Amino acid sequence: MYDLTGFQRDLLYIIGGLDDPHGLALKDELEEYYETEIHHGRLYPNLDTLVDKGLVEKSAMDRRTNLYTLTARGQRELEARQEWEQQYLRDTLSAA
């Protein structure tokens, strides 16, 4: 996870949380979160990077739509990231 961009990490979280994580659904979620338009030229190369790194699997949903799912490795990476984040959140909250 350390070599991913924040955008790529956000993609992993969204892919892991959606029931039907296809490109347009991912784009819609990102646009809502970032409050700006996400262009295909940003979205799909980042998805391809996650596939190349073995964190996401891409499959054909139909002739025009690809489905993106977390691999077992992608799920483990997300869980490890969440544990790491929680460590610092606990420290911050207990100091307040």
Side-chain angles (χ1 to χ4, degrees):
M1 284 287 253
Y2 64 88
D3 62 338
L4 299 180
T5 66
F7 186 80
Q8 291 166 344
R9 282 193 302 268
D10 291 345
L11 272 170
L12 284 179
Y13 280 107
I14 293 169
I15 290 168
L18 288 180
D19 292 331
D20 191 19
H22 59 279
L24 189 56
L26 298 170
K27 182 179 181 295
D28 289 345
E29 289 292 326
L30 288 165
E31 287 179 341
E32 184 177 326
Y33 178 71
Y34 285 110
E35 297 180 348
T36 190
E37 184 178 357
I38 303 297
H39 297 280
H40 289 85
R42 181 177 186 197
L43 177 62
Y44 292 102
N46 280 286
L47 285 168
D48 289 340
T49 296
L50 295 174
V51 170
D52 292 344
K53 289 182 177 290
L55 301 170
V56 170
E57 184 175 286
K58 177 172 132 177
S59 59
M61 188 173 180
D62 58 41
R63 287 181 21 180
R64 295 185 53 194
T65 307
N66 289 318
L67 187 66
Y68 297 90
T69 54
L70 292 179
T71 62
R73 179 176 170 223
Q75 184 64 44
R76 284 191 310 270
E77 293 285 342
L78 271 184
E79 290 167 1
R81 175 68 185 210
Q82 288 175 322
E83 288 174 17
W84 181 80
E85 289 173 348
Q86 286 302 312
Q87 168 188 329
Y88 293 100
L89 289 174
R90 279 191 302 272
D91 291 347
T92 301
L93 294 174
S94 63

